[in-house]
Amino acid sequence: MYDIQKGYELAKAYYKELGIDTDEVIRKVNDKAISMHCWQGDDVIGFEKNAGSLSGGIQTTGNYPGRARNAEELRADIEEVLKYIPGKTRLNLHANYLEADHAVPRNEILPEHFANWIDWAVEKGIGLDFNDTYFSHPLSEHGTLSAADESIRKFWIEHGIACRRIGGVFAEKTGGPCVINHWTPDGDKEFPIDTLSPRLRMKDSLDQIFEATKDVKGVVDGIESKLFGIGMESYTVGSHEFCTSYVMSKHCPHIIMTLDAGHYHPTEVVSNKLGAIFAFSDNVLLHVSRPVRWDSDHVVAYDDETKTIMEELVRMNRLDATYVATDFFDASVNRLVAWATGLRNVRKAMMAAMLQPIDALRKVEQEGDVSARLAMVQEYKAGGMLTLVWNYYCASQNKGEGLVWLDAIKDYEKKVLSARS
Ligand code: RNT
Ligand code: ZN
């Protein structure tokens, strides 16, 4: 490896000329929390005693050996992968990752079913976020919060209520806030005759959940929209317009929009929406993901969209106002490599956004010098000396510069993962 310290000094001098303090950038990048999704570790299966197969229009493909089969294995994998993910990392749990020695109906889940997760998170100093699980369940096949069958809808309202109560305990025990994401797969393969009634029911269900849990403290609620799911290609109850309208109509600081990078038309991008949403909302929850032709939940790449999302947030000065969470599931590669690659990419994109002379760019724009704006934006696109700063940052955090971490995870695969059937 080249001299990392020397490389950093050179980069520091380069960025200083652009008016950028790299030490300050590193501090900011390191302090920004990213909520790492637990479900990359076991292909979104979870640990319910009566767990069925994954449903709800989402799919995990691949059967790479070494999947975590229980919560202990998942926690061990998370501990391992966190060694190679620099910066503040939270853990994002789904309701179906509960631990109990018997099958627990989803509307009866309690904080005690997450006691091991809470103890572990407190011990490690990791913040916990949460998700209701409205999929992979026999009662979710004909709608959940929008179900026409009132007893089924009630069941899922009770699930939502139970989840907000659990989130409140997460916040209290781990020093919140706990961000809960509310996503329902409800939809239809064909275009329905009645597109309004399911939405009125969904609206009422969400209202009931919030009303019944208004005493819960420390919870932030993201409402996640979607364009379509597999098997529900024609109609989604929780569409972008529905969720945007719901959030905006509530005028409630803790109810915010969740924007998943994979949930829009192929030419529609989240980076292009953020500015409009921040004109009306103080906070946003991001699901950083990567769609390939459809909402395929590929591992987050260091691609234009991930970089542009971070650029937008940094330039608008809204990164702190954004809850950043990852959401992808790839079972075709080593699951820890997938996690580390995706999480490192998110943080690297943040760093890249901060290593640009934003004040100078803003100045030429304000002066109306559109030619200089064009030339400057292109000049800094190549990334300057990003890798030199990134490697120094990873090395100084002892999180593996370059690809050092890859060998370490391969070693874990040999020693631990390969022993799993
Ligand atoms: C599905 C949504 C949702 C899920 C997780 C597992 O399309 O993106 O966020 O990925 O709840
Ligand atoms: Zn998502």
Side-chain angles (χ1 to χ4, degrees):
M1 194 82 177
Y2 69 93
D3 186 332
I4 289 180
Q5 182 67 37
K6 223 166 151 185
Y8 181 62
E9 295 306 329
L10 183 65
K12 196 174 162 150
Y14 167 83
Y15 285 112
K16 197 172 170 207
E17 273 187 1
L18 299 179
I20 300 164
D21 178 345
T22 47
D23 292 335
E24 178 71 4
V25 166
I26 286 177
R27 193 187 56 73
K28 279 195 192 150
V29 164
N30 192 53
D31 286 352
K32 177 64 193 170
I34 300 177
S35 190
M36 184 176 96
H37 57 308
C38 73
W39 51 92
Q40 164 57 39
D42 76 325
D43 313 342
V44 211
I45 295 171
F47 306 126
E48 288 171 308
K49 283 285 175 264
N50 49 351
S53 53
L54 183 60
S55 77
I58 52 178
Q59 276 180 17
T60 314
T61 53
N63 56 358
Y64 199 88
R67 179 180 73 78
R69 296 161 300 181
N70 52 53
E72 290 89 68
E73 289 182 353
L74 186 59
R75 280 191 285 269
D77 290 355
I78 292 169
E79 280 177 33
E80 177 65 18
V81 81
L82 286 181
K83 294 178 190 165
Y84 317 111
I85 297 174
K88 191 169 171 195
T89 310
R90 300 172 59 82
L91 182 69
N92 202 4
L93 283 174
H94 235 290
N96 59 335
Y97 286 74
L98 86 176
E99 287 174 88
D101 51 16
H102 56 284
V104 185
R106 293 246 179 112
N107 60 342
E108 289 175 20
I109 57 169
L110 294 167
E112 66 197 51
H113 300 127
F114 295 89
N116 291 340
W117 284 109
I118 294 171
D119 291 348
W120 174 85
V122 169
E123 189 202 315
K124 306 271 169 216
I126 296 172
L128 288 179
D129 295 316
F130 202 47
N131 295 258
D132 322 333
T133 307
Y134 293 106
F135 51 86
S136 304
H137 192 281
L139 292 183
S140 65
E141 297 313 304
H142 302 287
T144 61
L145 295 182
S146 75
D149 182 318
E150 279 301 301
S151 65
I152 291 179
R153 188 163 76 97
K154 184 165 171 282
F155 174 86
W156 290 112
I157 292 170
E158 287 168 1
H159 175 65
I161 290 169
C163 286
R164 284 200 90 244
R165 297 217 170 280
I166 291 165
V169 173
F170 281 9
E172 184 197 320
K173 302 275 186 191
T174 65
C178 167
V179 181
I180 302 187
N181 184 54
H182 305 269
W183 171 71
T184 56
D186 301 18
D188 205 312
K189 190 178 176 80
E190 299 295 342
F191 195 73
I193 310 303
D194 180 4
T195 59
L196 179 58
S197 300
R199 288 183 170 131
L200 292 174
R201 288 192 292 267
M202 170 94 62
K203 178 170 172 255
D204 175 71
S205 299
L206 288 169
D207 283 348
Q208 285 194 45
I209 291 169
F210 290 123
E211 180 60 28
T213 52
K214 58 181 180 216
D215 57 307
V216 168
K217 291 194 178 56
V219 169
V220 172
D221 300 272
I223 310 291
E224 186 177 22
S225 72
K226 189 165 177 170
L227 178 65
F228 80 99
I230 297 287
M232 283 164 288
E233 291 84 356
S234 302
Y235 172 73
T236 299
V237 182
S239 62
H240 180 64
E241 290 72 13
F242 174 87
C243 294
T244 308
S245 306
Y246 185 81
V247 169
M248 298 303 167
S249 69
K250 294 303 275 185
H251 294 290
C252 184
H254 70 85
I255 301 178
I256 64 175
M257 289 179 67
T258 303
L259 296 164
D260 183 308
H263 286 195
Y264 298 90
H265 284 281
T267 55
E268 212 186 338
V269 280
V270 164
S271 56
N272 211 6
K273 298 179 185 299
L274 292 165
I277 293 164
F278 274 114
F280 296 90
S281 284
D282 291 338
N283 301 99
V284 155
L285 168 56
L286 266 190
H287 268 191
V288 192
S289 189
R290 175 166 54 113
V292 178
R293 307 198 189 281
W294 66 288
D295 177 37
S296 56
D297 290 284
H298 276 61
V299 177
V300 170
Y302 187 69
D303 57 10
D304 281 349
E305 175 56 2
T306 309
K307 286 189 275 183
T308 311
I309 287 173
M310 294 308 162
E311 279 174 4
E312 272 293 281
L313 294 174
V314 169
R315 289 173 184 178
M316 289 190 289
N317 198 18
R318 289 293 182 279
L319 184 59
D320 287 343
T322 304
Y323 297 99
V324 178
T326 47
D327 183 13
F328 52 81
F329 21 102
D330 189 344
S332 72
V333 294
N334 176 312
R335 291 169 184 79
L336 281 77
V337 171
W339 254 328
T341 304
L343 272 284
R344 288 170 73 100
N345 278 340
V346 178
R347 205 170 286 282
K348 195 189 273 178
M350 277 180 198
M351 180 178 271
M354 291 185 207
L355 288 177
Q356 291 183 29
I358 300 165
D359 292 342
L361 290 164
R362 201 173 278 137
K363 185 162 173 283
V364 291
E365 180 165 276
Q366 279 163 1
E367 287 165 354
D369 189 350
V370 287
S371 317
R373 182 181 63 182
L374 173 70
M376 285 167 72
V377 164
Q378 295 306 311
E379 175 67 15
Y380 301 122
K381 253 201 189 318
M385 296 199 181
L386 168 69
T387 302
L388 297 181
V389 182
W390 175 256
N391 277 342
Y392 170 80
Y393 165 57
C394 292
S396 63
Q397 297 291 316
N398 198 21
K399 297 288 187 176
E401 64 279 7
L403 285 171
V404 165
W405 58 275
L406 182 59
D407 289 337
I409 292 181
K410 288 263 174 78
D411 200 40
Y412 182 77
E413 177 170 342
K414 258 190 235 126
K415 288 189 183 130
V416 180
L417 302 180
S418 64
R420 296 177 190 166
S421 51

